[in-house]
Amino acid sequence: MLSDEQILTALKQGDEHAFVQLVERHQGLMLRVALRYVRTRAVAEEVVQETWVGVLHGLDRFEGRAALKTWIFRILTNRAISRAEREGRVIPFSSLGDDDEPAVDPDRFRPEGAQWAGGWKTFPPSWDTLPEERLLARETLSLIGEAISELPDRQHLVILMRDVEGWSADEVCEALAISEANQRVLLHRARSKVRRSLESYLEPEAALT
Amino acid sequence: MSSERTITCQELTEVVTDYLEGVMGAEERARFDAHLELCEGCVNYVSQMRQTIRAVGELDPAEVEATVPDDVLAAFRAWRRGDPIPKA
């Protein structure tokens, strides 16, 4: 598979195959991002299409200082935001704090005023003793996939980009137009929730303590 | 150097991402490490987080919509010819 940089070179030479590859690579995630801002799938699809047109318009001037994908997603985010504004929608990424659930159920810790307040009542066990196949089994992964899809929108996107797609923190901030701190909080909540789902699957008894 | 307040297990679970992302200040990082020295539960917790991240990384990237919309392809062909790009 070509890297985004190789695609960029081919693209500037008018290589349709490279363009198709680029669209196929990013389209799914682009649609998800667009859906965070606009109401319907049809509108989101329009926003994605507009984005590709915008990419073609800007391609000659694109200097490659940002990664190609980051640049594309930034165009997408800008289009989606202005579309959402026209629809009279509040921009979901602009505010934080819709959910600040703790990473771990507070009941797992000794209560305030007790000796060792804030310490584990029972230590979480090590998962190192689990067979490798267990953690990465198809069934485990599909459970993780489910847990991710149930996350609130912004957490969902950030963990997808960071941990599934392997983007850097900077790339995600730039693509989604969010601050570093914001990105990190979303990532933290997302990862913490996925860990909890894994825990109740791998060691069901822990959920009962 | 050890006179600063320590962090509790509960607090550790809230800053573990800062730790793993490498964005902690030196002092906070030292407190975090000092806690790990003494607390097996938190060592396990951090390790569970790392394993969670690794497992998430094993998922298939966003299932791709395999087809490129015709309008998008038409736009590309127009662009390549140097024609005005039709509005999406």
Side-chain angles (χ1 to χ4, degrees):
Chain A
M1 206 156 75
L2 298 174
S3 71
D4 271 9
E5 281 58 41
Q6 290 168 315
I7 284 184
L8 180 62
T9 311
L11 207 53
K12 287 194 170 183
Q13 290 161 1
D15 182 340
E16 183 169 311
H17 179 68
F19 181 68
V20 168
Q21 222 187 87
L22 185 70
V23 176
E24 285 176 350
R25 183 177 302 175
H26 295 303
Q27 187 160 252
L29 192 55
M30 288 169 75
L31 203 56
R32 288 178 199 227
V33 172
L35 274 169
R36 301 309 146 214
Y37 295 95
V38 300
R39 275 196 193 94
T40 63
R41 188 174 169 103
V43 175
E45 279 171 3
E46 265 176 55
V47 169
V48 172
Q49 294 205 11
E50 279 172 28
T51 301
W52 287 115
V53 172
V55 166
L56 293 171
H57 272 297
L59 201 54
D60 289 332
R61 277 168 288 117
F62 177 66
E63 287 163 4
R65 265 181 293 129
L68 179 61
K69 64 180 181 212
T70 312
W71 178 65
I72 294 171
F73 275 80
R74 190 58 186 259
I75 295 175
L76 174 77
T77 300
N78 288 338
R79 302 243 158 188
I81 287 173
S82 57
R83 188 64 180 251
E85 279 169 352
R86 262 185 285 147
E87 284 185 340
R89 279 194 90 180
V90 183
I91 313 301
F93 266 102
S94 62
S95 68
L96 188 69
D98 49 359
D99 109 65
D100 38 329
E101 263 181 76
V104 175
D105 182 348
D107 277 353
R108 299 278 299 271
F109 302 102
R110 294 164 193 273
E112 217 162 313
Q115 198 184 12
W116 311 115
W120 298 103
K121 285 180 185 163
T122 312
F123 281 174
S126 167
W127 290 349
D128 291 340
T129 52
L130 293 169
E132 173 88 357
E133 310 87 76
R134 181 88 202 281
L135 188 67
L136 302 180
R138 184 182 287 271
E139 196 186 328
T140 313
L141 295 183
S142 89
L143 174 113
I144 294 173
E146 242 169 74
I148 288 179
S149 68
E150 281 161 14
L151 291 169
D153 292 347
R154 299 169 309 154
Q155 296 175 26
H156 174 82
L157 276 179
V158 169
I159 198 170
L160 259 186
M161 291 174 132
R162 285 296 311 277
D163 292 343
V164 181
E165 304 268 351
W167 292 35
S168 73
D170 285 348
E171 288 170 343
V172 173
C173 292
E174 174 64 24
L176 298 177
I178 55 177
S179 72
E180 237 182 274
N182 202 330
Q183 187 265 155
R184 213 157 45 239
V185 171
L186 293 168
L187 182 65
H188 176 66
R189 290 180 186 160
R191 284 177 174 173
S192 299
K193 279 185 207 153
V194 174
R195 190 209 62 86
R196 281 213 302 269
S197 306
L198 257 179
E199 175 178 64
S200 47
Y201 173 72
L202 295 172
E203 25 158 341
E205 65 284 0
L208 305 172
T209 52
Chain B
M1 288 303 254
S2 60
S3 63
E4 268 104 39
R5 62 180 294 274
T6 54
I7 64 170
T8 66
C9 304
Q10 192 168 15
E11 286 164 346
L12 184 139
T13 63
E14 293 300 346
V15 295
V16 63
T17 303
D18 292 1
Y19 182 78
L20 295 175
E21 292 278 282
V23 296
M24 248 180 198
E27 223 173 272
E28 203 186 354
R29 186 162 194 96
R31 276 203 294 271
F32 194 103
D33 284 330
H35 183 106
L36 289 184
E37 290 287 325
L38 300 171
C39 180
E40 187 192 329
C42 285
V43 168
N44 291 347
Y45 187 82
V46 173
S47 153
Q48 287 186 2
M49 285 297 277
R50 288 189 204 274
Q51 281 169 307
T52 300
I53 295 163
R54 193 164 66 95
V56 171
E58 293 293 320
L59 294 181
D60 271 338
E63 74 283 9
V64 169
E65 333 263 304
T67 56
V68 179
D70 290 345
D71 292 355
V72 172
L73 214 50
F76 177 78
R77 289 175 181 154
W79 171 80
R80 188 172 54 184
R81 286 192 305 269
D83 290 351
I85 300 172
K87 264 248 158 248

